[in-house]
Amino acid sequence: MYDRILVRYGDLTLKGKNKRVFIERVNNLIKEKVNNPKVKIEKNHDRLYLVLNGEDYNEVIEGLNKVSGLSSYSLVSKSERDVESIFENALNLIKSEIKGRKVTFKVESKRSDKNYPIKSPEMTQKVAGYVLKNTDNLIVDVHNPEVTLTVEVRLDAAFVYISKIKGMGGFPVGVAGKGLLMLSGGIDSPVAGFLAMKQGIQIEAIHFESTPLTSIESAQKVIDLTEKLSVFAPNSKIKLHMVPFQKIHTALLDYIPESYNITIMRRMMYRIAESIANENNCLVLLNGESVGQVASQTLQSMKVITEVSRIPIIRPLSTYDKLDIIKISKNIDCFKTSIKPFEDCCTVYVPKKPATAPRLHRAVEYESKFDFNELLAEAVEDTKSIIVTHKEHLDITMKGLVVGEVL
Ligand code: ATP
Ligand code: MG
């Protein structure tokens, strides 16, 4: 029944060169994610048609759902240009859409062939009349219809389409530049990474792994989550930086009072992340922090922790409710992986009473108790960077990516 898919771009308030870059990137993403040479792209001003050439539209839609920057799309049915053919096409389409339900609707018409004998308002009336006569449950509502049936007459054929399927929205990934995502094995940070990509930010990921203090499975989880996220990335690839954090972790347990352990651990993470970001041309850091979730995410903690960094930090989830985060996590197929019960460096040795309102001078004083600069430099030096893609599963034990063995 369907011949093509009409694709609508996202934010077209953009102008000039930005708009061109935007559209070119979306089109490239569409080609890559749909990944079917038989499906042809047909450009038409601010819209795009994907001509199916007999291919399964469900598969094409699955690809489109991974393209950031698309606001919506519609399945389009093609017919001859005579009114009878248009009537029949419109009727079939609306019947299959409403399936006997009582539904309000309206018809809209467009005529890109200005020589076509029936003008748009007249076409609208005729089609609406025909559809109403041949169905039982439709009610016209031109102001707020549940269903809009659009008829478009072009030079070569006529098209009819109904529903709008919502796309990812946002901006094409990469258009905003690159950021470094602090990725733990939890629920939040993969969601933060997804939202960043959806907003046009290409990501690299950084993980602080403390094997053998923590299990090797917790590091594998991070690779698995990066694979899941790569579905949305340009060329389905994300660079992942594995930072050996165990020595720093141990030093913190030795030198830092328990209540400041997390505060200072996070200051160390930010220092390393900033340096890896700079080395890799990442303009911002991204993470899964959400205000109030845990002790290290109170506003006072955030202030004391981020005091060590100069690079901008984006926290896509800072005001999100956990339930909303979980919903997105499920939608992007990360949830099941995220809840696998392996401890990471923030869950091993959780202090009994972490400082929720740490003081900067205290943090600085405790840090002066050991030479952390050398440890930081060593961790950056020994960081292993890999390209992760969902197209090829990576087993952590094979690449010697982590220092430690399973305890
Ligand atoms: P998540 O569910 O993402 O693990 P969380 O609620 O458990 O988050 P924290 O453990 O306090 O919160 O971490 C807050 C953020 O810090 C994480 O979302 C992540 O961005 C970053 N982070 C924490 N641990 C690590 C790690 N080992 N490597 C990289 N980033 C980390
Ligand atoms: Mg965590």
Side-chain angles (χ1 to χ4, degrees):
M1 180 163 174
Y2 298 114
D3 153 85
R4 60 188 61 206
I5 300 176
L6 164 64
V7 176
R8 299 176 194 85
Y9 297 120
D11 197 336
L12 283 172
T13 48
L14 295 171
K15 294 266 181 299
K17 181 167 167 281
N18 285 343
K19 186 164 156 178
R20 273 204 307 282
V21 172
F22 179 114
I23 289 178
E24 199 180 299
R25 273 185 193 264
V26 184
N27 292 353
N28 287 339
L29 282 171
I30 290 174
K31 266 188 221 140
E32 187 218 317
K33 305 298 177 197
V34 170
N35 191 24
N36 183 338
K38 283 202 183 147
V39 177
K40 299 281 185 234
I41 291 190
E42 199 182 284
K43 289 175 198 161
N44 186 347
H45 301 292
D46 290 346
R47 301 161 144 203
L48 199 82
Y49 289 96
L50 298 183
V51 184
L52 291 168
N53 290 318
E55 297 298 288
D56 179 359
Y57 63 82
N58 286 311
E59 275 171 28
V60 178
I61 286 181
E62 210 171 290
L64 290 178
N65 282 334
K66 294 167 188 139
V67 178
S68 53
L70 294 187
S71 66
S72 69
Y73 29 93
S74 303
L75 290 161
V76 183
S77 180
K78 182 178 174 180
S79 74
E80 297 298 321
R81 291 171 11 127
D82 58 283
V83 272
E84 285 74 27
S85 301
I86 294 174
F87 283 176
E88 284 316 308
N89 200 10
L91 184 62
N92 282 339
L93 216 58
I94 203 147
K95 273 187 172 167
S96 79
E97 170 79 19
I98 63 171
K99 297 191 178 71
R101 285 177 300 140
K102 215 177 180 75
V103 165
T104 57
F105 91 119
K106 78 167 175 183
V107 177
E108 274 181 1
S109 304
K110 295 187 180 111
R111 194 176 54 141
S112 55
D113 172 13
K114 297 295 171 207
N115 294 321
Y116 190 76
I118 304 174
K119 292 199 172 120
S120 297
E122 194 187 339
M123 178 65 90
T124 295
Q125 273 193 349
K126 281 182 187 261
V127 172
Y130 184 81
V131 166
L132 278 172
K133 202 169 77 199
N134 291 285
T135 49
D136 294 327
N137 286 320
L138 284 172
I139 303 150
V140 175
D141 180 351
V142 290
H143 299 296
N144 196 15
E146 289 161 78
V147 168
T148 302
L149 177 80
T150 308
V151 176
E152 199 171 325
V153 182
R154 299 191 9 193
L155 277 173
D156 51 337
F159 299 104
V160 181
Y161 49 87
I162 294 189
S163 51
K164 272 191 188 176
I165 304 164
K166 211 165 173 304
M168 261 178 84
F171 296 96
V173 59
V175 83
K178 204 164 60 171
L180 182 63
L181 171 70
M182 300 166 78
L183 185 61
S184 66
I187 297 168
D188 303 325
S189 43
V191 173
F194 165 75
L195 290 176
M197 286 193 276
K198 177 167 125 56
Q199 201 61 19
I201 304 174
Q202 183 179 353
I203 58 168
E204 295 190 6
I206 183 170
H207 179 65
F208 303 92
E209 61 87 7
S210 291
T211 56
L213 281 181
T214 51
S215 68
I216 207 154
E217 287 88 348
S218 71
Q220 178 69 48
K221 242 172 105 172
V222 172
I223 292 191
D224 296 347
L225 289 168
T226 310
E227 280 175 11
K228 301 267 183 207
L229 287 176
S230 76
V231 162
F232 303 99
N235 304 313
S236 300
K237 285 180 188 161
I238 292 178
K239 196 174 189 185
L240 169 64
H241 306 275
M242 280 288 199
V243 183
F245 200 64
Q246 179 263 332
K247 276 192 192 163
I248 296 172
H249 205 144
T250 309
L252 297 180
L253 293 170
D254 287 347
Y255 293 105
I256 307 296
E258 201 182 84
S259 63
Y260 270 65
N261 210 297
I262 299 273
T263 308
I264 295 190
M265 171 163 15
R266 299 192 67 75
R267 281 165 63 94
M268 298 298 161
M269 285 182 177
Y270 273 107
R271 288 179 170 114
I272 296 173
E274 176 161 359
S275 133
I276 302 269
N278 289 338
E279 275 178 20
N280 291 277
N281 302 317
C282 294
L283 302 172
V284 295
L285 294 182
L286 298 147
N287 65 40
E289 289 175 343
S290 181
V291 174
Q293 241 191 43
V294 290
S296 63
Q297 296 171 24
T298 62
L299 297 183
Q300 294 98 317
S301 284
M302 283 185 183
K303 182 164 161 59
V304 171
I305 290 167
T306 50
E307 188 263 347
V308 298
S309 68
R310 268 149 308 178
I311 187 169
I313 298 159
I314 295 182
R315 300 174 173 84
L317 303 178
S318 61
T319 63
Y320 271 52
D321 188 275
K322 191 78 185 187
L323 290 177
D324 293 331
I325 298 173
I326 288 175
K327 210 189 267 173
I328 302 175
S329 171
K330 286 181 177 164
N331 279 341
I332 60 173
D333 192 32
C334 284
F335 190 66
K336 280 193 196 129
T337 309
S338 289
I339 57 171
K340 282 187 186 166
F342 300 115
E343 75 285 4
D344 62 23
C345 66
C346 298
T347 47
V348 181
Y349 310 111
V350 180
K352 281 181 209 74
K353 272 201 189 142
T356 52
R359 307 287 297 272
L360 180 59
H361 71 272
R362 287 260 161 78
V364 172
E365 182 197 324
Y366 295 145
E367 282 177 350
S368 70
K369 302 237 186 299
F370 70 114
D371 184 8
F372 62 85
N373 278 321
E374 206 170 302
L375 289 174
L376 292 182
E378 196 185 329
V380 171
E381 175 84 5
D382 292 343
T383 292
K384 298 199 175 76
S385 305
I386 42 166
I387 302 289
V388 178
T389 169
H390 68 93
K391 293 177 178 166
E392 194 186 334
H393 180 61
L394 190 67
D395 181 343
I396 197 161
T397 52
M398 281 159 57
K399 292 245 173 171
L401 283 173
V402 292
V403 186
E405 299 294 316
V406 187
L407 274 182

